[in-house]
Amino acid sequence: MTRTYATDEQYERWFMAECCRCGRRKHKAGHWPDGYVCRNCSDRAVRTRGACPGCGQDRALPGLRPGDGAAICTTCAGFSQSFDCSRCGFEGKLLGGRLCERCTLSDRLTALLDDGTGRVRPALVPLFDLLVAMDKPSSGVAWLALRHDQPGNPSQRLRQLGLGQIPLTHDAFHELQPWRSAAHLEELLMASGALPAVDKYICSFQRWLQAIWPTSRTPSTSGFIEQ
């Protein structure tokens, strides 16, 4: 990638600084009232939530109160920037388009689970709802980016599900590789109700059978489904 600056000295001067929170010299993520902050400290700070000791409002608390260093809201800390999501207004870490992590996760899942009509495949709506509602949407965003350059990664599997290229059956998932990621997705589908519940030990046994027994002779898990 071509640099937009001429020298290493310019890069150091324009993009690097000592973080006011951790004291390390790292890439600048922003200039806050207490100084330059790195990305790690910025992410940690904007995810801190609670009642602001300054105004009493329940908000994100990225600021630090002079004197005792208590976490305070952006208003009390004198921030010039906002951390409000441009769509839902939630205050927290912002990603592309100034969207919060949950709105970002929702958009990415909508695109992956699209059945070709511009909407989430109806049979997968329970899975979509389960994932979007997770306590830490940052974990969902990270999961979708996992092993993005390798076959069978989570995003690829979800896209195949959305297009109907993977049948919504336990037997279909027991044939997928890598088996660990396939098993995790199968468990999510069961938790959401998109797949009938089957004991996870039976699922593991079925995968073992799949590896040692020709596919045409492998017994189905349909007889093991919990009622």
Side-chain angles (χ1 to χ4, degrees):
M1 182 172 63
T2 304
R3 286 184 173 183
T4 58
Y5 44 88
T7 66
D8 289 341
E9 289 75 16
Q10 286 179 323
Y11 181 87
E12 178 73 17
R13 183 170 68 253
W14 295 344
F15 301 110
M16 304 291 289
E18 183 177 298
C19 176
C20 64
R21 300 294 177 93
C22 67
R24 298 177 180 177
R25 189 164 186 81
K26 303 175 73 174
H27 286 86
K28 303 173 186 176
H31 190 206
W32 290 4
D34 48 329
Y36 287 108
V37 64
C38 71
R39 176 59 60 191
N40 287 343
C41 290
S42 171
D43 290 352
R44 186 180 305 112
V46 296
R47 288 187 177 122
T48 302
R49 303 191 65 83
C52 175
C55 63
Q57 296 186 46
D58 188 12
R59 298 180 55 184
L61 306 174
L64 293 180
R65 185 166 60 185
D68 62 1
I72 55 177
C73 70
T74 55
T75 303
C76 292
F79 276 68
S80 60
Q81 67 188 104
S82 166
F83 296 101
D84 295 343
C85 175
S86 61
R87 179 181 300 166
C88 71
F90 179 80
E91 188 179 31
K93 177 176 170 58
L94 300 179
L95 302 176
R98 294 190 61 79
L99 294 177
C100 68
E101 293 167 318
R102 197 173 303 281
C103 285
T104 298
L105 177 61
S106 176
D107 282 358
R108 293 182 183 175
L109 287 171
T110 298
L112 291 170
L113 299 176
D114 179 8
D115 61 2
T117 66
R119 296 177 296 179
V120 173
R121 181 181 172 189
L124 298 175
V125 169
L127 175 65
F128 173 87
D129 292 339
L130 176 73
L131 293 174
V132 171
M134 66 172 57
D135 291 338
K136 294 183 178 180
S138 58
S139 298
V141 173
W143 178 60
L144 293 181
L146 194 65
R147 298 188 300 276
H148 68 278
D149 58 343
Q150 299 180 23
N153 62 70
S155 289
Q156 182 187 63
R157 290 300 185 219
L158 290 175
R159 189 74 196 102
Q160 292 171 330
L161 278 173
L163 294 174
Q165 296 172 352
I166 300 176
L168 274 176
T169 66
H170 290 286
D171 291 340
F173 276 87
H174 298 168
E175 296 177 2
L176 297 177
Q177 293 294 334
W179 72 267
R180 291 184 187 277
S181 60
H184 178 62
L185 182 53
E186 183 182 16
E187 289 175 5
L188 290 173
L189 286 163
M190 286 192 288
S192 70
L195 267 181
V198 175
D199 187 281
K200 65 178 182 179
Y201 296 108
I202 293 177
C203 287
S204 297
F205 176 70
Q206 178 70 5
R207 293 187 191 94
W208 173 76
L209 283 180
Q210 203 77 30
I212 67 170
W213 206 345
T215 303
S216 61
R217 297 175 56 198
T218 304
S220 170
T221 55
S222 59
F224 299 119
I225 295 177
E226 296 177 354
Q227 301 298 322

